[in-house]
Amino acid sequence: MSQRLYKTIYNIARTVNSSLDPSEVMMAIAKEVALTMEAKGCFIRVLDTRETMLKPGGVYGLSERYAHKGPVKVDKSRLDQEVLQGKVVTIADVREDDRFQYPKEASEEGLVSLVVVPLNARDKVIGVLRVYSGEVREFSEEELDFLQCIANLSGLALENARMYKALKRASELADEFNYRVFED
């Protein structure tokens, strides 16, 4: 693996260790990935609690219009269904692939090639990481390995942030209960 990819993994690991704010971490990861891969953009999407929609987690390099083009419903996106089963999917031209949910919007954004990898946390897929290219591009095995590594780091970071938030909320509720019971 090239020095550049190792350096990015190091930077992302530092980011993951420095913050428990999922938005901040996902935005930083999307930026690092897009810049390192010299891609047009990167979008991290996370499954909602019902696992029916993919919600924005972090985005870099794409317009606000494209980032908010509409909901990504799992049952409407064959591409995401494949990735949520644990597969890595590459598409040479999203404008010609019927698995892509928003081909018109992608064309308007200037997106051509795409790679999507599953975001894993403890043997479960919790989202997807997408990298977009503005021209026809083939992604190398080294790049796919790099993206899978980043997606795994992202999944762990997200799970850690969720657990921290849940513990913090439980602690607040316990404090509130103790205050009401013992202070009244």
Side-chain angles (χ1 to χ4, degrees):
M1 190 176 290
S2 77
Q3 181 82 15
R4 180 175 49 98
L5 299 182
Y6 275 123
K7 178 79 173 163
T8 300
I9 291 170
Y10 173 76
N11 288 340
I12 289 174
R14 280 187 18 196
T15 299
V16 166
N17 279 332
S18 67
S19 175
L20 286 171
D21 179 346
S23 302
E24 182 181 322
V25 171
M26 296 298 128
M27 294 297 272
I29 290 171
K31 181 179 179 179
E32 285 277 346
V33 167
L35 294 175
T36 299
M37 294 193 64
E38 298 174 349
K40 182 167 178 64
C42 178
F43 209 143
I44 299 172
R45 290 189 172 272
V46 181
L47 277 171
D48 68 355
T49 54
R50 292 180 293 165
E51 299 186 357
T52 59
M53 303 237 322
L54 285 164
K55 298 188 159 217
V59 63
Y60 180 81
L62 303 172
S63 70
E64 283 292 317
R65 180 179 47 85
Y66 187 77
H68 296 100
K69 63 190 174 302
V72 177
K73 296 179 180 176
V74 173
D75 66 338
K76 303 268 187 216
S77 174
R78 290 189 347 218
L79 167 68
D80 290 312
Q81 290 171 18
E82 287 181 41
V83 177
L84 292 171
Q85 291 174 358
K87 296 179 184 172
V88 174
V89 176
T90 60
I91 298 176
D93 192 337
V94 296
R95 300 167 298 187
E96 298 176 0
D97 193 298
D98 66 352
R99 293 174 296 172
F100 200 72
Q101 189 176 355
Y102 293 100
K104 179 179 171 250
E105 290 80 0
S107 180
E108 291 170 358
E109 184 73 8
L111 306 177
V112 180
S113 293
L114 167 73
V115 59
V116 190
V117 296
L119 218 65
N120 294 307
R122 296 196 189 102
D123 299 327
K124 184 177 179 189
V125 180
I126 61 169
V128 300
L129 184 150
R130 297 174 174 215
V131 176
Y132 301 90
S133 173
E135 63 275 343
V136 174
R137 176 176 175 175
E138 287 190 27
F139 297 93
S140 70
E141 284 299 316
E142 183 180 53
E143 289 174 321
L144 296 179
D145 288 344
F146 164 75
L147 288 175
Q148 196 65 68
C149 176
I150 297 304
N152 288 335
L153 272 173
S154 301
L156 286 174
L158 196 58
E159 278 297 298
N160 285 342
R162 285 177 176 169
M163 285 192 302
Y164 174 78
K165 188 175 177 182
L167 284 172
K168 185 176 176 187
R169 181 69 185 138
S171 175
E172 289 169 355
L173 289 172
D175 289 346
E176 193 176 299
F177 174 78
N178 286 336
Y179 178 77
R180 286 185 183 172
V181 170
F182 300 112
E183 298 294 327
D184 287 337

